[in-house]
Amino acid sequence: MSDDQIAVHEPHAKPTTYVEPGPADRFENPGLPPHRPRRADVDDAAAKRAERQVTTLFGLSILGTLGFIVAYFLVDPNLRASILVIGHVNLYHVILGLTMAISLLGIGLGAVHWAKTLMPDTEIVEERHLQASDQEARDEAAGILSQGYRSAQLHRRPMLLLTAGGALGLFALPMALQVAGGLGPLPGDTLNHTVWRKGMKLLIDPSGTPLTPEMVTQGSVIHVLPEGFAGESSHGEDGPSALEIMEVKATASVLLVRLNPELIQSQKQRDWSVDGIVAYSKICTHVGCPVALYERQTHHLLCPCHQSTFDMTNDCEVIFGPAKRPLPQLPITVEDGYLVAADGFAEPVGPSFWERGE
Amino acid sequence: MTTIPQGAHAVRDQSAAATETTADDADPKLPPPVVYLDERFGVAKGFGLFKKVFPDHWSFLLGEIAMYSLIICLITGTFLTFWFVPSMGHVIYDGSFVPLKGVGMSEAYASTLDISFDIKGGLLIRQLHHWAALLFIVGIALHVARVFFTGAFRKPRELNWVIGTVLSLLACVEGFAGYSLPDDLLSGTGIRAMNGFMSSAPVIGTYMTFFVFGGEFPGESIIPRLYIAHVLLIPAILVGLFAVHIFLVFWHKHTQYPGPGRTNTNVVGFPLLPVYTAKAGGFFFIVFGITALISALVTINPVWAYGPYDPGQVTAGSQPDFYMWFSDGALRLLPGWLEFELWGFTWSFNIFLGSLLLLPLVWTILGVYPFIEQWITGDKREHHLLDRPRNAPVRTAVGAAAISMYLVLAIATINDIIAIKLHLSINDITVALRVLFFVLPVIVFMVVKRLCLSLQRADRETVLHGTESGRIMRTPEGRFYEVHEELNEFDRWHLVQHEAQRPLSLTAGPDTDEYGVDRPVGPLESLRRKLSDFYFKDRIEPVTPSELAAAHHHGEAEALPGGTAQAIEESVDRADETAGLRSDDRH
């Protein structure tokens, strides 16, 4: 292309609706600066060198592709190695990834280098037009619309438009209703109780061993599930399904801790405990993560998800973090030497929900 | 562009030399396949498209990164569907990853392990998919920032901005749905939290969770449902909207940075064929290649290390992927007292605000910004020339302040990691971030606005007094001064081309009529004027030719110590006076 193609004549003829900004005392756009040729434009040796660089990059890409194919078949997929800085890796994965990267980068870098060194770098000016159509086109469009409207007799029979609009507005409702209605059951009062019942043994998760008070030593924290949902009893023909176990784990998981009874601050907490052994829902009252971190010295429970912190000595009240409500306590007692639930949870466990307070 | 190409110093004076390639193919013919297609579809008529001109700038590549990452995700994602089993059915793992042999898990998790260990190259595809997804959202975020700070969202592109914001929201939702699919301990915890978010919604929360999860958490429906959303529903909308997004770029023609020869009614750059075909096509391979390089060397989401999901377990340091950090961080910062009982119902704003409300809120603010700014400026003209961010100080400062708020929330997500690594109290960090969320944006706003204004002043100084030449002159009396070289007209144009927007209170006439009686304006108009003041009260006018002439006139002053500084002070003051401003902006 020649230089006169890129010449810009200022000021441009502006469409009538465009108002040149600012006061009259402004600098004028000087137009495109003169083009400076690249070395490859004027020096044949430089151009030749650029060509060599591009073909080398494309050649590397071909090698990378072939390397990938060879490695795919020849390298042992379980090959492992230690690479400096990166550490222990699956070498097969690394070789495949690197050869693929070479194959792709060769093409990409080659093409860009080609464009930057050998393809024209003279800037071209293309005129831009305002988006809005001119008045003539608008009038014509208005005519077409109006003609369509009238020839459909909508101007004389408005009920056509009204009913058609109504029908079109409503026809999707049956589909929407079917989808929404079929997605899931109504909650009912499912969220208000867990499987814990009076007399259910406290089993260690995952072994399923029933707990006696002696097994709960000072300072230890035990993850507990209700009878029938952990260990051997949960397997077999009559046992709960994998789905039921998941649901029980998500709602009825309990943490068991033995506190020094003198530290317990509330009478209710003491009444529902056995010799300082307290059982609390493990499901955070914020958004339902398991409250998994127990600090022995402070008797704080911390949820790793959002750092809600509960004070075990004070009925698991929230002392920090985004949760509002304390963890619900499970009343426990001793029956035939085993720790059992004295009752179910007195309130819904887990995250807040709208109908919770009812 | 006045920069001299690399290696071209030797030829800089030969710029007059002819660079055009001579047409050695005087009578080109269409290749037969194109003729075949032309006879059936008339394709030759559309070949003018190949001459379409695109402007060149590195920041225009940010959107391309997003576009290419999306394509990589589509390719690798399609592969993954061949092996992934979107089921929560219970199986005992029997693959080649020894530590998990014999462990009960969902089919989704088992098949993800198979992809990682038993399908040759499967791990590479998984890693490519995850890294490309992250890169997709990084690309989008940077692209949004570029479009925002350069004002590319202005008329006629407002609606394309809205489409873009919807795309960016969908990208985050798509990413969340995707990393939830493997059903490992980390992603399961994420779904658990999502269940909690939904429960917190006033009135409909419980119903929503039961409908989405097909019953009580976790149920058996959520993975298959997230799967179909992830591989069909959201991608279909994403690709559809993306097609419109990119079509509108063609339709409007790309915006360009201001510069000599670039005007609001032209577009200056290189044609699609061959330059942009090579550059943009090549860039796709570069993005793909770099993604492959990262995937080969850096493990992302090693699901085998987390184990299968168990609602009773969790790992410390559970964080979502980075684009959800701000939401998770908001949940960590919101205090518990935002939950209360009223009329017998539970209002959990501590959760609802940071999750279900935050996402739509952030994206709504983003989506409506162009309309708000247009209302404030009253500027209904088409804009195809970009703003240099410094020339729109308040917009730039507002954007920076918003980003700082976003970053505070995002950093809150790693408050536990920070506490461990830096041996700080997690409580102190959380409280500090709560305060910072409100304080930092204000500070950032003020600093960035001042910075923009200072940069504009520096531009003025450069125009009025030239650039430092490095040549020291000695006067006959023995004084030294540095010679300043005047800018050439091309370099100068970059610094003087913009217009400084004036507040409405100046352009809309006085608030009182000629008898001193208040002209009443409605509350909305009054708000608009206040906002307009807020935006444009402090501003630096670009240098005018007469100012430059005046500067030349007493140019000898430069020879005197302090002369330069004095001249700037004067000129800036003069600019403020011309505008008739009460500005709190004096040095």
Side-chain angles (χ1 to χ4, degrees), chain A residues 25-26 123 282 306 324 355, chain B residues 206 262 312 328 339 546:
Chain A
D25 186 21
R26 282 177 61 84
E123 287 182 311
K282 195 186 179 184
H306 303 100
K324 168 69 182 289
E355 304 87 346
Chain B
T206 316
R262 285 140 173 83
D328 199 59
E339 177 177 313
S546 39

Side-chain angles (χ1 to χ4, degrees), chain B residues 324-557:
Chain B
M324 285 290 158
W325 279 17
F326 78 105
S327 177
D328 199 59
L331 286 169
R332 293 178 188 219
L333 294 189
L334 286 164
W337 51 260
L338 286 169
E339 177 177 313
F340 49 86
E341 301 225 340
L342 189 64
W343 304 312
F345 295 108
T346 306
W347 303 71
S348 299
F349 284 108
N350 53 340
I351 307 165
F352 182 63
L353 272 183
S355 53
L356 291 190
L357 198 61
L358 181 72
L359 267 80
L361 191 69
V362 166
W363 267 273
T364 305
I365 293 171
L366 202 61
V368 301
Y369 181 81
F371 304 97
I372 294 175
E373 194 187 285
Q374 196 175 78
W375 177 66
I376 294 169
T377 58
D379 185 352
K380 303 274 191 229
R381 293 169 302 168
E382 284 192 16
H383 290 278
H384 303 287
L385 278 180
L386 297 172
D387 281 329
R388 299 169 81 217
R390 70 183 62 174
N391 291 338
V394 171
R395 180 205 293 147
T396 304
V398 164
I403 289 175
S404 74
M405 281 174 114
Y406 178 92
L407 287 180
V408 169
L409 293 182
I411 286 169
T413 304
I414 49 169
N415 58 356
D416 47 345
I417 310 281
I418 298 173
I420 290 167
K421 296 280 180 204
L422 302 182
H423 304 289
L424 293 170
S425 146
I426 192 159
N427 307 18
D428 293 347
I429 295 173
T430 307
V431 172
L433 288 172
R434 280 175 183 164
V435 175
L436 269 184
F437 179 76
F438 294 101
V439 175
L440 190 65
V442 179
I443 298 172
V444 167
F445 176 87
M446 293 195 289
V447 169
V448 171
K449 187 181 160 190
R450 291 299 121 182
L451 217 57
C452 287
L453 292 169
S454 302
L455 284 169
Q456 281 185 283
R457 283 203 194 91
D459 285 351
R460 282 184 60 88
E461 183 192 335
T462 312
V463 172
L464 289 172
H465 305 285
T467 51
E468 294 164 3
S469 64
R471 277 185 297 129
I472 307 294
M473 297 292 275
R474 186 179 169 193
T475 63
E477 311 90 80
R479 287 181 175 179
F480 291 91
Y481 70 95
E482 185 182 4
V483 176
H484 280 216
E485 274 172 2
E486 202 193 339
L487 295 179
N488 66 42
E489 57 175 344
F490 303 114
D491 289 341
R492 186 207 298 139
W493 179 246
H494 284 284
L495 309 182
V496 299
Q497 46 76 31
H498 63 288
E499 56 172 317
Q501 183 98 28
R502 313 222 158 149
L504 286 175
S505 50
L506 290 182
T507 52
D511 295 339
T512 52
D513 63 16
E514 64 261 47
Y515 303 109
V517 180
D518 282 352
R519 265 184 230 274
V521 288
L524 207 59
E525 183 61 22
S526 153
L527 171 70
R528 187 174 166 211
R529 295 212 177 157
K530 282 199 185 88
L531 283 170
S532 178
D533 264 355
F534 169 71
Y535 261 72
F536 306 115
K537 183 184 63 175
D538 299 334
R539 66 180 188 285
I540 310 289
E541 302 272 349
V543 177
T544 61
S546 39
E547 278 176 322
L548 183 61
H552 281 175
H553 186 65
H554 53 77
E556 306 86 64

Side-chain angles (χ1 to χ4, degrees), chain A residues 1 25-26 29 39 72 93 123-124 126-128 131 183 249 282 288 305-306 322 324 352 354-355, chain B residues 7 20 120 192 206 225 253-254 261-262 265 267 269 295 312 328 332 339 346 348 350 382 497 546:
Chain A
M1 60 216 60
D25 186 21
R26 282 177 61 84
N29 191 330
R39 178 163 278 181
Y72 184 85
H93 165 76
E123 287 182 311
I124 292 177
E126 192 176 283
E127 288 303 310
R128 213 192 259 284
Q131 292 302 312
L183 280 176
K249 281 181 168 176
K282 195 186 179 184
C305 281
H306 303 100
K324 168 69 182 289
S352 303
W354 178 249
E355 304 87 346
Chain B
E20 64 267 38
K120 278 177 130 188
R192 179 44 158 154
T206 316
R225 286 180 182 178
K253 294 184 178 158
H254 207 290
R262 285 140 173 83
T265 55
V267 51
S295 304
D328 199 59
R332 293 178 188 219
E339 177 177 313
T346 306
S348 299
N350 53 340
E382 284 192 16
Q497 46 76 31
S546 39

